[in-house]
Each structure stands twice: as C-alpha cells, then as structure tokens.
C-alpha cells in the first residue's frame, strides 16, 4: 500500500510539472508572438511604404522624361536645315500633343504671331528668352520656348495632362493613389477633381474647417516643397469615397523640371487598414504555425505522460505478480518446514537461534 501511495504522489507531481511546463510554454509563446507581431507590423509597413516610394520614383522619372521628349521635339526644329514647314510643325505638335501639349506658336522678332496651332494666346506668355531654350511654369500652363532663325517657337503644355498619363494609373494596394503638387503647393493632379489647381493647404482646410491637417501639412511644407524624398504617415478625413478618420501611409519624391530650378513633387498614399489587412493575414499565418508547434509539443507531452503512466502501471502489476508469487512460495516453504518431522532451525553467524520448526520445539520441550 505504501508503494502505491508513493506512485500516486509521484504521478501527481509529474502531472503538475508537465501542466506547469505547458502553461509557461504557452505564456512564453504568447509573449513572443505579441512582440514578433509588433515587429512584423513595423517591418511590413516600412516595406509597403518603400514600395510606394518606388512607384513615386517611377512616376517622377516618367514625367521628367516627358519634359525631355517635348524639349527634343523643339530641338528637332532647331537642328533642321530648312525653315520649318506647316506640315513639319503639325507633325511636331501631334507628337507633343500625346504628351500634354495643347498649342504651338511661331513668333517673329516683334513677338507677333505668324503661325498658330491649338488653344494658346499671347496673354499666357511671360517674357521670352530670344537666345536660349527656356522652360516656363505658371499655375495653369507650362510652355517651352526655343529661338529659331530670328523666330521663337513656343510649345504650350497643360501640366495636368502631362502628369495625369503617368500618375492616374498608379495603384498602391487596392485603393491607394498618387497626387502631384508644384513648387508653390498647388495640386497639379489629384483624384478629387475639385482639388486640381487649388492650393493643397487651403483646399483641405476648406473641405474640413474643424480639422487641422498637421502631419500632411508638415510633410508638404518641410519635405515636399523643399525637394526632399521620404516616407511618412498622416491622418486624413477622406479617401476616395470613404469619409471619416483615415490613417494613411505616404511616400514622396521630387520631380526636377529640366532647364529650370523648379521642383514639383509626386506622392503615393494608401490607407493603413489595407496594409493591416496584409499584416493580419501574416499574423494568422504566424500564430497558426506557432499554435501548431505548441499543440505538437503538448501532444508529445501527453504522449510521454501516457507512456510513463503505462510503464508505471505495468511495473505495478509486475511487482504485484512477483509479490504474490513470492508470498505463495514463502507460504509453501513455511508449510513444508512446519510439517517436517526433522529438527530444522536457523542460526545467525554468532550461533544464535533465529527460527525453528514445530518438530524442534516439541523435541526441546520434551527434554
């Protein structure tokens, strides 16, 4: 009985130890999962923003390439060996039209129009350089002037059309988009059409007078208008058709206008919840893997416990069987000794009698 009690106590301690170990393991795994999930969230957010930055860089390079392509069209006329014919001017304008050009003027030395294609009028012109190719920017127009054999050819470009073909197709995540501002903070392109041509700082505040767009204003004023590149986040009150507080990730990079010191800036933004959707999927995947490992460890613990208990039960049964056999053997031996007619006794190493049978007791009793 004492042996069985010891086994029960030992089994209880073993179970308690295994249970405590499993709880500690679960707590450690949970703590590790929380910290790794936070690290994973930061890493994915940064990676997502850097992907947005790549999109912004690509758009910037494409817009700068369009500027250079427009300039090259005028340089074709400059290096032509003959006076540009109306047909050649029409061909140049048609190619430039696909890049956002909306008009072409040929002026004489007195700046009088001698040939005109498209929409522009002289009221849109600023002072022209009669000696060098120049790029001029205004709020509504961009125009490139090139002196040519005592004439000046001016190509008028709509900045919205120039950038729209490069940024309108940008998608970051499911609903993320791009927008472009000029060096004075005016929107050249934005998915919200009413924003185009408006001051970015003022139009946001007019749309939401009770909200202070602190972060995005700081990013625009201290980063984008200074020609810097970077990533960040800010709070908005809308995103496409969604209204309310929307946290967004943004990446931005400058657009350097050729032949000028002017810098525009393109930004790509996406709601944080779209990034979180990706993160949540990875969370579930990570916790599934961790949970599977924990369950496997628990299963191994239960399996080991069942083996140990089976071994203890087998050992207990074997001890009981051996004890029963021994008891029977002892009983048989005792009956054999007691029923013998011979004098049988046992002595210790000093000659002291330890035990004797009934025949021995009867013999000495008669004496």
């Amino acid at each position: 009985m004492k042996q069985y009690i010891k086994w029960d106590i030992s089994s209880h301690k073993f179970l308690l130890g295994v249970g405590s170990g499993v709880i500690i393991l679960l707590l450690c795994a949970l703590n590790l999962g929380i910290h790794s999930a936070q690290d994973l969230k930061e890493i994915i957010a940064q990676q997502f923003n850097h992907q947005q930055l790549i999109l912004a860089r690509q758009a910037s390079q494409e817009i700068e390439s369009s500027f250079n392509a427009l300039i090259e069209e005028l340089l074709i006329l400059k290096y032509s060996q003959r006076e540009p014919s109306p047909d050649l001017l029409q061909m140049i304008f048609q190619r430039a039209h696909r890049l956002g050009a909306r008009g072409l003027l040929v002026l004489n030395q007195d700046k009088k129009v001698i040939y005109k294609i498209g929409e522009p009028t002289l009221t849109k012109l600023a002072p022209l350089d009669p000696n060098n190719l120049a790029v001029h920017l205004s709020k509504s127009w961009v125009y490139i002037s090139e002196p040519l054999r005592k004439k000046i050819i001016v190509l008028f470009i709509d900045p919205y059309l120039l950038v729209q073909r490069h940024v309108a197709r940008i998608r970051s995540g499911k609903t993320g988009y791009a927008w472009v501002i000029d060096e004075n903070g005016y929107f050249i392109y934005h998915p919200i059409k009413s924003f185009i041509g408006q001051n970015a700082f003022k139009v946001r505040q007019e749309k939401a007078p009770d909200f202070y767009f602190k972060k995005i204003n700081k990013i625009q004023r201290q980063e984008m208008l200074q020609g810097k590149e970077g990533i960040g986040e800010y709070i908005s009150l809308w995103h496409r058709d969604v209204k309310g507080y929307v946290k967004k990730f943004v990446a931005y990079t400058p657009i350097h206008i050729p032949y000028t010191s002017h810098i525009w800036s393109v930004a790509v933004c996406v709601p944080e919840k779209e990034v979180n959707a990706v993160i949540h999927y990875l969370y579930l995947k990570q916790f599934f893997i961790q949970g599977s490992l924990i369950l496997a460890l628990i299963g191994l613990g239960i399996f080991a416990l069942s083996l140990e208990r089976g071994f203890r039960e087998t050992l207990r049964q074997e001890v009981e069987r051996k004890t029963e056999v021994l008891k029977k053997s002892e009983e048989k031996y005792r009956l054999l000794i007691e029923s013998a007619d011979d004098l049988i006794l046992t002595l210790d190493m000093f000659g002291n009698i330890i035990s004797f049978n009934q025949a021995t007791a009867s013999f000495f009793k008669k004496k």
Side-chain angles (χ1 to χ4, degrees):
M1 179 63 69
K2 291 183 178 179
Q3 186 69 27
Y4 299 157
I5 293 174
K6 288 181 179 179
W7 282 347
D8 291 340
I9 293 174
S10 178
S11 297
H12 179 72
K13 288 183 177 179
F14 181 79
L15 287 171
L16 184 61
V18 170
S20 300
V22 169
I23 293 173
I24 293 172
L25 182 63
L26 288 172
L27 291 175
C28 291
L30 180 61
N31 184 59
L32 178 62
I34 292 173
H35 284 85
S36 61
Q38 291 174 346
D39 294 340
L40 182 64
K41 181 178 180 180
E42 293 178 2
I43 291 171
I44 292 177
Q46 288 185 354
Q47 288 180 344
F48 202 97
N49 238 346
H50 281 292
Q51 291 296 322
Q52 290 196 136
L53 185 57
I54 292 173
L55 292 175
R57 287 172 179 169
Q58 182 178 353
S60 172
Q61 293 171 0
E62 291 176 356
I63 293 169
E64 291 176 9
S65 295
S66 292
F67 267 109
N68 289 322
L70 290 166
I71 291 169
E72 287 175 3
E73 294 295 343
L74 293 186
L75 292 179
I76 290 174
L77 298 174
K78 179 178 182 178
Y79 295 112
S80 174
Q81 298 298 320
R82 54 192 177 87
E83 288 290 323
S85 64
D87 290 340
L88 179 58
L89 291 172
Q90 283 286 350
M91 182 181 68
I92 294 295
F93 176 72
Q94 289 300 322
R95 289 203 295 259
H97 185 269
R98 291 193 290 269
L99 299 176
R102 283 295 173 265
L104 184 147
L105 290 179
V106 180
L107 309 175
N108 60 18
Q109 288 181 319
D110 297 327
K111 297 184 180 180
K112 292 183 179 180
V113 178
I114 58 178
Y115 190 79
K116 175 182 176 181
I117 304 175
E119 304 170 358
T121 64
L122 288 176
T123 56
K124 295 185 176 69
L125 286 174
L128 302 176
D129 188 340
N131 300 312
N132 299 294
L133 184 146
V135 178
H136 305 268
L137 304 180
S138 69
K139 180 179 177 181
S140 304
W141 288 90
V142 175
Y143 56 94
I144 306 170
S145 64
E146 168 61 29
L148 177 66
R149 301 182 185 91
K150 298 181 180 181
K151 299 181 181 67
I152 297 178
I153 297 179
V154 183
L155 191 61
F156 285 77
I157 300 105
D158 184 335
Y160 168 78
L161 295 176
L162 177 66
V163 304
Q164 183 261 350
R165 60 194 299 268
H166 300 296
V167 298
R169 56 185 170 81
I170 290 178
R171 287 291 180 275
S172 178
K174 292 183 179 179
T175 62
Y177 55 77
W179 43 272
V180 181
I181 58 173
D182 66 13
E183 69 279 7
N184 296 314
Y186 286 84
F187 280 116
I188 299 173
Y189 175 84
H190 196 283
I192 300 176
K193 301 299 183 182
S194 60
F195 280 18
I196 297 171
Q198 302 296 316
N199 183 278
F201 301 99
K202 292 181 180 179
V203 72
R204 287 196 191 97
Q205 209 61 60
E206 289 173 358
K207 189 171 182 178
D210 299 328
F211 185 78
Y212 181 45
F213 297 88
K214 181 179 180 180
K215 286 190 175 181
I216 186 59
N217 287 347
K218 182 178 180 181
I219 289 173
Q220 285 187 182
R221 187 174 288 109
Q222 298 183 8
E223 300 287 328
M224 298 178 71
L225 296 185
Q226 303 302 318
K228 297 179 181 179
E229 180 181 83
I231 59 176
E233 57 185 52
Y234 65 97
I235 302 295
S236 179
L237 292 184
W238 56 80
H239 182 78
R240 295 193 181 275
D241 297 330
V242 178
K243 294 183 179 180
Y245 286 88
V246 181
K247 185 177 181 180
K248 296 183 182 180
F249 293 119
V250 64
Y252 47 90
T253 195
I255 304 170
H256 297 277
I257 312 301
Y259 287 86
T260 74
S261 59
H262 297 286
I263 296 175
W264 294 351
S265 189
V266 56
V268 180
C269 63
V270 66
E272 183 190 37
K273 67 178 183 179
E274 292 190 16
V275 181
N276 287 341
V278 177
I279 295 173
H280 289 158
Y281 169 75
L282 294 176
Y283 280 175
L284 292 175
K285 187 176 181 180
Q286 178 184 0
F287 282 123
F288 175 77
I289 294 173
Q290 290 180 342
S292 299
L293 290 175
I294 292 171
L295 290 176
L297 290 174
I298 293 174
L300 287 174
I302 294 173
F303 179 70
L305 179 61
S306 63
L307 286 179
E308 189 272 343
R309 293 186 67 180
F311 173 75
R312 285 176 178 271
E313 181 63 23
T314 302
L315 181 61
R316 184 186 66 79
Q317 293 176 359
E318 182 66 17
V319 169
E320 287 180 350
R321 189 182 67 83
K322 293 291 186 181
T323 301
E324 187 65 26
V325 171
L326 182 60
K327 286 171 67 177
K328 290 181 179 180
S329 178
E330 288 179 349
E331 183 66 20
K332 183 178 180 181
Y333 176 76
R334 186 183 64 77
L335 291 174
L336 180 63
I337 295 300
E338 289 295 327
S339 62
D341 294 332
D342 299 324
L343 302 180
I344 302 173
L345 52 85
T346 57
L347 304 175
D348 63 14
M349 60 184 299
F350 301 106
N352 299 316
I353 298 174
I354 298 175
S355 64
F356 50 85
N357 63 351
Q358 188 62 38
T360 303
S362 299
F363 174 78
F364 284 105
K365 193 174 185 181
K366 292 179 180 180
K367 294 292 184 179

